[in-house]
């Protein structure tokens, strides 16, 4: 790397086998727990599901965070303990705020199960500010047509969370957050948007960030205040993820995030004793891990 590199850290995600398919996890990393409020970053697929097979993530709990599922291909079915049942499709946003506690499952409809599908997308968690960790849980769905899309010098951009490239997402976040998708043809460039902390994840293809090559499947964490451009070496899709620095320490255990170790211990006890609210109509759940 050159001395004037805008890249602070390159993270190559670790593969995690979820049984039905494999994900690649970029955050948390031993060298970097979070970027802005983003504390968990999973790349799902692309995965091919034959007819009769599909995603089947049983009911499980969360506290202290908000989740976002963003798909490029395929469909998943969200159900939660608030009673929401919502398919998520490419370009749409499922924004679930766990707060003091929520339970959800991620599966597929009978139609998708029967037909099979190709699934490809990202699942991320945003840690809540300390003062909002115990808010009431909530769920919001935004169809793809409600997520602002713009063309900047021919580059197709969707601003999923926050404000950038002259547009603002309708999704209401608890802290300053930026999450945006850019699809580039070979040779096209896009300016690095402004954010206190920012990373560039290369979903597909290969890009140069101020002339430094970043390949598909790599999360490039930028130096604070980085400026410059992302240029496609080949047809590419990237996600910009970041926002304001999250104050204070955060602890992560399984699906729980909190600024308090004691709060996580309480959540573990609550799930072990099944005192969380359940997902209506579902009895199967993921047991508390033994570790």
């Amino acid at each position: 790397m050159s001395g004037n590199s805008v890249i602070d850290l390159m993270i190559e995600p670790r593969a995690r086998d979820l049984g039905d398919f494999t994900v690649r996890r970029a955050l948390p990393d031993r060298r970097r727990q979070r970027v802005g409020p983003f504390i968990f970053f999973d790349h799902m697929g692309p995965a091919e599901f034959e007819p009769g097979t599909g995603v089947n993530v049983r009911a499980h709990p969360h506290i202290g965070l908000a989740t976002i599922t963003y798909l490029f291909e395929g469909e998943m079915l969200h159900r939660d303990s608030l009673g929401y049942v919502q398919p998520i499709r490419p370009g749409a946003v499922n924004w679930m705020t766990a707060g003091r506690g929520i339970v959800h499952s991620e599966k597929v409809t009978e139609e998708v199960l029967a037909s099979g599908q190709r699934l490809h997308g990202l699942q991320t968690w945003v840690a809540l500010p300390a003062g909002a960790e115990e808010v009431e849980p909530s769920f919001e769905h935004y169809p793809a047509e409600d997520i602002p899309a713009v063309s900047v010098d021919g580059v197709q951009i969707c601003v999923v969370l926050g404000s950038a490239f002259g547009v603002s997402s309708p999704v209401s976040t608890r802290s300053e957050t930026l999450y945006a998708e850019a699809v580039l043809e070979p040779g096209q460039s896009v300016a690095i948007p402004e954010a206190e902390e920012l990373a560039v994840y290369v979903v597909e293809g290969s890009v140069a960030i101020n002339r430094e090559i970043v390949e598909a499947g790599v999360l490039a964490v930028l130096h604070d205040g980085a400026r410059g451009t992302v240029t496609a070496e080949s047809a590419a899709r990237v996600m910009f993820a970041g926002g304001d620095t999250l104050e204070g320490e955060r602890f992560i255990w399984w699906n729980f995030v909190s600024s308090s170790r004691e709060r996580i211990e309480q959540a573990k006890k609550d799930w072990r004793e099944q005192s969380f609210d359940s997902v209506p109509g579902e009895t199967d759940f993921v047991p508390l891990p033994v570790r």
Side-chain angles (χ1 to χ4, degrees):
M1 291 187 183
S2 61
N4 59 355
S5 170
V6 298
I7 299 175
D8 179 46
L9 180 64
M10 295 261 214
I11 298 175
E12 294 192 18
R14 308 174 310 284
R16 295 293 179 95
D17 186 357
L18 299 186
D20 297 313
F21 61 105
T22 299
V23 299
R24 295 182 297 286
R25 184 160 301 163
L27 293 176
D29 181 78
R30 60 180 175 78
R31 296 163 296 171
R32 180 93 183 209
Q33 185 193 59
R34 57 188 190 258
V35 178
F38 285 88
I39 199 165
F40 179 94
F41 198 106
D42 262 10
H43 185 180
M44 308 180 294
E48 298 284 352
F49 289 93
E50 297 298 322
T53 65
V55 175
N56 183 27
V57 181
R58 294 168 292 160
H60 57 279
H62 291 286
I63 65 164
L65 54 87
T67 69
I68 177 169
T69 301
Y70 190 73
L71 298 182
F72 308 117
E73 297 178 84
E75 177 181 315
M76 295 172 68
L77 181 65
H78 164 96
R79 287 190 177 95
D80 65 39
S81 51
L82 299 177
Y84 289 97
V85 179
Q86 178 63 60
I88 174 80
R89 300 185 178 97
V93 170
N94 274 3
W95 179 250
M96 184 182 78
T97 302
R100 64 175 177 79
I102 199 168
V103 178
H104 76 134
S105 66
E106 295 162 301
K107 301 182 180 180
V108 293
T109 63
E110 291 297 327
E111 293 78 10
V112 171
L113 184 65
S115 65
Q117 68 167 340
R118 179 179 166 91
L119 183 68
H120 187 201
L122 299 173
Q123 286 194 306
T124 54
W125 300 350
V126 173
L128 296 174
E133 287 182 310
E134 297 296 319
V135 297
E136 289 297 308
S138 62
F139 176 81
E140 299 167 64
H141 175 76
Y142 299 82
E145 55 267 27
D146 288 355
I147 303 302
V150 294
S151 177
V152 179
D153 296 329
V155 177
Q156 301 305 307
I157 296 169
C158 289
V159 178
V160 183
L161 301 176
S163 300
F165 305 103
V167 296
S168 297
S169 167
V171 183
S172 178
T173 59
R174 296 275 177 173
S175 63
E176 197 67 36
T177 307
L178 177 62
Y179 197 37
E181 174 192 15
V183 179
L184 305 94
E185 296 299 326
Q188 288 184 329
S189 296
V190 62
I192 296 170
E194 292 187 21
E196 200 166 279
E197 296 182 7
L198 191 68
V200 180
Y201 183 71
V202 183
V203 179
E204 299 169 317
S206 174
V207 302
I209 301 178
N210 284 11
R211 298 186 180 179
E212 281 188 75
I213 302 300
V214 184
E215 302 291 349
V218 173
L219 183 76
V221 182
L222 307 184
H223 288 293
D224 293 352
R227 296 290 179 268
T229 57
V230 175
T231 302
E233 297 291 298
S234 61
R237 184 192 305 269
V238 303
M239 296 295 294
F240 295 104
D244 282 0
T245 304
L246 199 65
E247 293 184 359
E249 193 170 8
R250 290 298 183 279
F251 304 103
I252 308 174
W253 192 91
W254 192 39
N255 301 315
F256 305 138
V257 172
S258 180
S259 56
S260 162
R261 289 188 187 275
E262 292 74 22
R263 180 66 182 91
I264 287 180
E265 290 303 314
Q266 182 62 50
K268 289 160 68 173
K269 180 176 183 290
D270 290 344
W271 187 244
R272 188 183 299 113
E273 297 175 355
Q274 286 296 289
S275 59
F276 276 84
D277 292 338
S278 59
V279 177
E282 294 191 0
T283 56
D284 57 339
F285 62 92
V286 180
L288 189 76
V290 179
R291 52 175 169 164

